[in-house]
Amino acid sequence: MRRYNERLILSAVRRMNGASKAELARMTGLSPQAVVRIVDELAEVGLLFQAGKRTGGMGQPATIYRINGKRGYTVGVEVGRSDTIIVLLDFDGERKAVGRHAGSFPSIDTVLGHIDGFIDEHLASTDLLSAEAFMGIGIAMPWFLGEWRDELGISVDQADEWRRADVADRLQAGLTWSTFFENDGNAAALAQLLCGAGVDLQDFLAINIGTFVGGGLVLGGRVHQGRHGNAGALASMPVCAAGKSDYLVHHASLYALDQAVCDEERAAWTRRCVEALAFAVTSANSLLDLEAVIIDGAILPACLDDIAAGLRHHFSTDAPPDFFAPEIRKGTLGNLAAAVGAGLLPLHASFTPDLASLFKKV
């Protein structure tokens, strides 16, 4: 219970981007005495620090505590179908370096080479790779990276390399440090939850528009993974578009859009995307009754604005009569969402509360 409460406090401070002891007591439901003790102990071991005073209320100014970013570092990797993005994060989730390798569909050896090169460039000449400072590597990738081969235009051999059951073992074998794996949609949702547009939300669907559209689901302030870790994966969600039954991947993915196309062609793709996303969001929200839907991804800001505006217009005019429309939010992480979420995995594994840990299995 003590360990759980420590993680609860750290998680609350992280999502609130700094909080007083009184605010933490209100948010977590812990007693003020317990919060005082836990916060003081976390500050003593260097996980929290006093970030200043907040004035304006009644009584004495409140001391604000924040996560100590220098307490540790992680590397996050998104293995995509057309690029590999790598980020260096500190313990507070702040990005310290970003690398991107765009090009053809990746091989496992290529990904490992990119990771080694990034670590050599940004960490090898420092003392941050010590066991105490470096907390590990997070890797986010689609569970079905080699699928939809026709859409990607890749060979059978390229696809088969990522279909093998030992992909995670082969990646781990090529790395010296502890490595954590997650579906790219779940990783992007985690990033939105902890340091993106969802920090004030408990229940939302994160839609990530990339080479293929994907997503992640947050319920009760936690990423809901599902039985196979694939909850919220939207590519194969059935939709009705242009009067025909199809899958969302064919209407809301960037493989079908050259972002350098003319305005008229981009507008036509955006209309198709909004129509299909509206169908998918209606289905998801009818089942889950969400607070919000967050739209983000590797897409031009103007196009993201148009998609968000199109969804808001749809739900203001065409929603079913018994439908509580979720708020439509634009994300701010862009094409870094999954990589940032991957970098948060080592932190999440060690410092996030887990109710299941409080109960023994019989």
Side-chain angles (χ1 to χ4, degrees), residues 48 103 285 293 307 361:
L48 296 178
N285 193 63
V293 173
I307 292 171
K361 293 183 179 179

Side-chain angles (χ1 to χ4, degrees), residues 145-160 163 212:
L145 185 63
E147 301 300 336
W148 305 101
R149 191 169 62 83
D150 291 340
E151 287 81 358
L152 290 170
I154 60 175
S155 70
V156 173
D157 289 342
Q158 286 176 301
D160 285 347
R163 288 176 176 151
F212 287 171

Side-chain angles (χ1 to χ4, degrees), residues 251-271:
H251 300 272
S253 301
L254 295 182
Y255 84 87
L257 171 70
D258 179 352
Q259 296 202 57
V261 299
C262 69
D263 291 344
E264 183 177 344
E265 291 174 324
R266 185 181 299 112
W269 177 87
T270 301
R271 286 193 297 271

Side-chain angles (χ1 to χ4, degrees), residues 10-236:
L10 283 170
S11 181
V13 173
R14 190 181 302 281
R15 291 195 69 191
M16 296 171 73
N17 196 27
S20 68
K21 292 174 178 175
E23 290 169 334
L24 289 169
R26 288 194 295 270
M27 182 175 184
T28 63
L30 298 175
S31 70
Q33 296 85 352
V35 169
V36 168
R37 184 181 68 254
I38 293 170
V39 169
D40 288 346
E41 290 174 353
L42 292 173
E44 185 176 346
V45 299
L47 293 174
L48 296 178
F49 74 98
Q50 294 185 14
K53 302 281 188 178
R54 180 180 293 152
T55 60
M58 298 178 62
Q60 296 294 321
T63 299
I64 302 302
Y65 290 84
R66 287 198 59 183
I67 299 290
N68 178 12
K70 296 180 181 179
R71 182 59 171 76
Y73 296 84
T74 68
V75 165
V77 183
E78 181 198 6
V79 182
R81 294 174 172 91
S82 60
D83 55 13
T84 300
I85 298 176
I86 310 176
V87 299
L88 173 64
L89 303 182
D90 68 11
F91 189 70
D92 196 27
E94 182 178 342
R95 298 191 293 274
K96 296 299 182 181
V98 178
R100 183 185 181 195
H101 301 272
S104 58
F105 189 80
S107 68
I108 289 177
D109 287 342
T110 300
V111 171
L112 290 172
H114 292 328
I115 296 173
D116 286 341
F118 183 88
I119 289 176
D120 286 344
E121 179 181 356
H122 297 288
L123 292 170
S125 62
T126 70
D127 60 358
L128 300 184
L129 285 176
S130 67
E132 181 177 347
F134 191 64
M135 303 179 66
I137 297 173
I139 297 180
M141 57 186 178
W143 286 163
F144 300 95
L145 185 63
E147 301 300 336
W148 305 101
R149 191 169 62 83
D150 291 340
E151 287 81 358
L152 290 170
I154 60 175
S155 70
V156 173
D157 289 342
Q158 286 176 301
D160 285 347
E161 182 179 22
W162 293 97
R163 288 176 176 151
R164 291 173 50 178
D166 63 347
V167 166
D169 291 338
R170 293 171 66 196
L171 286 167
Q172 175 68 83
L175 299 169
T176 306
W177 305 274
S178 298
T179 306
F180 303 78
F181 295 90
E182 184 54 274
N183 174 284
D184 59 334
N186 288 340
L190 179 64
Q192 300 292 358
L193 174 68
L194 296 182
C195 56
V199 294
D200 61 330
L201 299 173
Q202 293 294 310
D203 303 288
F204 64 86
L205 177 66
I207 298 176
N208 204 54
I209 299 177
T211 303
F212 287 171
V213 64
L217 181 63
V218 171
L219 297 176
R222 294 183 62 82
V223 176
H224 181 75
Q225 296 172 304
R227 178 182 177 186
H228 300 102
N230 211 39
L234 300 176
S236 57

